Amino acid sequence: MRLTTADIALAIAAMMTGALAIWADVTGRRMRYFLKPLTTATILALALLRLPLRPASGCWIAAGLALSLAGDVLLMLPRERFVAGLASF
């Protein structure tokens, strides 16, 4: 498979937002609440571009990434959402 410009751009964006999310978490910045889900959403977008969605494996990987995104968001919410966030993962 040949990489497209969109593939490369999304991969770079995922690396940059991931690094910024780690930095924001270490320094206690509130941007982490935006950057962590953005990183997962970027990875999901890249997977949707690259994975064959017809085979079952591609669909399962995309579903797993979507649930991971939901888990990221739910675990950032107040404690009442902890079990739901954990279940998403």
Side-chain angles (χ1 to χ4, degrees):
M1 257 192 228
R2 187 176 166 161
L3 293 178
T4 65
T5 304
D7 296 333
I8 295 168
L10 282 171
I12 291 170
M15 289 185 281
M16 289 175 59
T17 58
L20 286 171
I22 292 169
W23 170 79
D25 194 44
V26 168
T27 59
R29 309 242 190 243
R30 295 190 66 161
M31 291 185 329
R32 70 179 181 256
Y33 296 113
F34 171 72
L35 290 169
K36 177 74 166 95
L38 180 61
T39 302
T40 308
T42 306
I43 294 169
L44 175 59
L46 180 61
L48 290 174
L49 283 177
R50 298 303 292 175
L51 289 176
L53 293 180
R54 295 276 175 186
S57 62
C59 292
W60 284 112
I61 290 171
L65 286 169
L67 287 171
S68 179
L69 176 59
D72 285 342
V73 172
L74 289 170
L75 287 178
M76 289 182 195
L77 296 176
R79 291 180 185 241
E80 303 87 50
R81 304 285 188 228
F82 178 78
V83 174
L86 192 60
S88 290
F89 283 108

